[in-house]
Amino acid sequence: MHRLTAPLTAPLTALALALALTGCGAKVSDDDNDAAHDRPAKASGHYPVTVENCGIRTTYDKPPARVVTNDVGITEIMFALGLEHRMAGYVMPDDKGDLDGVPWKAAYDKVPWLGKKTLTKEIALDARADLVFAGWNYGFGEDNGLTPAALKKLGIGSHVLTESCRNGRDGARGVMPPLEALYTDLTTLGKIFDVEDRAAALVKKYKKQVADAAAKAPAPADRPSVFLYDDGRDKPFTSGRYAGPHDIITKAGGDHVMKDLKDSWTTVGWETVVARDPDVIVINNYGDTSAAQKKAFLMSYGPLAGVSAVKHHRIYVMDYADLVESPRNPAAVSDLARYLRGVRAAG
C-alpha cells in the first residue's frame, strides 16, 4: 500500500535482461504519435487494443503472459478476473492476513510467491515478466529505481494501480473516487486480457453490493463520523478522499472525517483527529503492530481521551486487504455498514 520499496542493490544479469526484452507486445504512446495508436482492432480479433492508465495510453498487440503483481489487493484483482494463468508470480509481505479463507485460495496456491519483502527489478527479470502490475508507493517509486519508465528500458510493460495515480501535487495520489478506481482497473484489465465480459460482470456485481449497503445508510445528518487509523504514534497515518477507506466509510453510512484531504494515504496531526472528534475509529489491521496493540495505544493515548470513539469504545478492526483497492472492497462496505447501523441504533 503506502510502503516504499527498498533501494535496489543487486546487479542485473545479462541473461535475465535478455529474457525480459522479449516483452509482451505493449507500446507506450508518445504525444506525437497518439493518432497511430487510435487505430481500431483488426476485424479478425481483439488485438491490437489501446487502453489508458493514469493518463498514459498503451497499445497491446497480445495479452501479457507473465505478469508480476505487487501486494495483496493488486494480486487479487488479477485473481478475481481469472487471470492467474497469465501470472509469473506475486510479491507480498506475509503480514497481510490469513489467505486460507479467501475465494482465490486456489489461485494463491497455483501462482508463485516470488518475494515477501519488496518488489525489485531483479525479481521481475528473474520471473521473465512481460508486465508489472503495481502502484506508486505500492511497489513503484523513484527512490528505489523501480518505475514504469525504468521497466520500459528493460522491455517490461507496466500497469499502475489506479488508486495510486499521481495527481500532480507534491506526489499526492488519487484522481478519482476509490471504488471508481477499482472499477476502472477491472475494466481496463478486461480489455488488455480480452476478458471484458468477466470484468463487466464483476463491476456490475460489486456496484450492486455497494448500492444495497448504501441504500440502508442513514440521512447525512445522522451519520456517525469515522476516522481511519492505519498506524503511527507521533502522527497517525490515515486515508484521504482518494484511498479505499473514503468510499468504504461513505457508502457504509459513515461521515469520513478526513474527506477533505486530497490524497490517498497520508499523515495528519493528532490535534486534527481530536478537533474532528470521530464517533468511530477504524483500525487497518496489518503489519508488525497488531490490531490489539493499535487499539491499546488509542485507548491509552492521553490526547484522545476526550474523543467520542475512545470514550465509548467504538473501535472497529478491518483487514488491510479490505481497505486498499481490491475486490474485497464491496464486501467491506457491507460489513462496515452493519457495524455503523449498530452504532447509530445504540445512540
Side-chain angles (χ1 to χ4, degrees):
M1 182 189 64
H2 50 273
R3 294 181 178 181
L4 298 179
T5 50
L8 187 62
T9 56
L12 304 180
T13 65
L15 175 60
L17 178 59
L19 290 170
L21 288 173
T22 59
C24 65
K27 300 186 282 289
V28 178
S29 303
D30 297 320
D31 289 340
D32 59 356
N33 67 355
D34 278 347
H37 294 283
D38 287 337
R39 65 191 185 279
K42 296 177 181 177
S44 60
H46 180 74
Y47 299 96
V49 61
T50 299
V51 299
E52 183 170 319
N53 172 230
C54 292
I56 302 296
R57 292 199 299 169
T58 304
T59 294
Y60 292 83
D61 295 325
K62 59 184 178 180
R66 297 192 60 80
V67 181
V68 170
T69 59
N70 184 73
D71 215 351
V72 58
I74 293 170
T75 301
E76 291 182 1
I77 288 173
M78 291 290 289
F79 290 166
L81 287 167
L83 296 173
E84 57 268 23
H85 65 292
R86 295 287 182 186
M87 294 177 62
Y90 62 90
V91 175
M92 183 193 305
D94 55 6
D95 62 359
K96 298 301 168 61
D98 183 8
L99 301 176
D100 288 337
V102 301
W104 311 285
K105 176 64 167 60
Y108 273 117
D109 290 341
K110 184 184 303 181
V111 178
W113 193 343
L114 302 176
K116 297 184 178 182
K117 292 185 178 179
T118 55
L119 178 61
T120 65
K121 292 177 185 176
E122 287 82 7
I123 288 175
L125 287 167
D126 288 346
R128 294 182 290 118
D130 54 10
L131 184 77
V132 170
F133 182 11
W136 291 111
N137 291 15
Y138 289 77
F140 291 139
E142 276 88 0
D143 63 322
N144 62 355
L146 187 67
T147 65
L151 289 173
K152 182 183 177 184
K153 292 179 180 178
L154 300 175
I156 303 174
S158 300
H159 184 83
V160 178
L161 185 74
T162 296
E163 180 186 271
S164 77
C165 292
R166 291 174 168 173
N167 60 31
R169 293 191 305 276
D170 301 323
R173 295 170 290 164
V175 294
M176 65 180 69
L179 286 172
E180 192 62 35
L182 171 63
Y183 305 149
T184 296
D185 277 324
L186 288 168
T187 301
T188 302
L189 291 165
K191 293 178 181 177
I192 293 172
F193 290 95
D194 195 13
V195 291
E196 291 178 274
D197 290 347
R198 192 177 305 159
L202 284 175
V203 171
K204 182 178 179 180
K205 172 187 173 182
Y206 293 157
K207 285 184 175 180
K208 183 180 186 305
Q209 195 170 3
V210 171
D212 289 346
K216 301 173 184 177
D222 296 327
R223 294 184 170 210
S225 56
V226 183
F227 171 67
L228 185 286
Y229 177 59
D230 180 282
D231 206 348
R233 299 300 188 264
D234 294 336
K235 291 183 177 181
F237 201 78
T238 189
S239 161
R241 68 187 298 169
Y242 293 123
H246 173 73
D247 266 355
I248 291 168
I249 291 167
T250 303
K251 304 297 187 189
D255 177 19
H256 181 208
V257 298
M258 297 298 171
K259 58 183 177 289
D260 59 322
L261 293 178
K262 295 180 180 180
D263 201 345
S264 57
W265 298 90
T266 189
T267 301
V268 297
W270 284 117
E271 64 277 6
T272 303
V273 181
V274 172
R276 299 186 181 190
D277 190 21
D279 297 311
V280 174
I281 296 176
V282 171
I283 288 176
N284 185 4
N285 183 23
Y286 80 102
D288 295 332
T289 305
S290 69
Q293 290 171 319
K294 292 177 183 180
K295 182 175 180 179
F297 166 74
L298 293 170
M299 296 301 297
S300 64
Y301 187 52
L304 297 179
V307 169
S308 179
V310 173
K311 286 195 300 182
H312 298 287
H313 299 267
R314 292 192 293 252
I315 296 178
Y316 184 71
V317 177
M318 300 183 75
D319 285 340
Y320 170 93
D322 295 331
L323 295 167
V324 296
E325 184 191 319
S326 82
R328 301 195 202 187
N329 295 157
V333 173
S334 298
D335 292 343
L336 181 59
R338 282 191 291 271
Y339 177 80
L340 294 180
R341 287 198 296 271
V343 168
R344 182 49 62 212

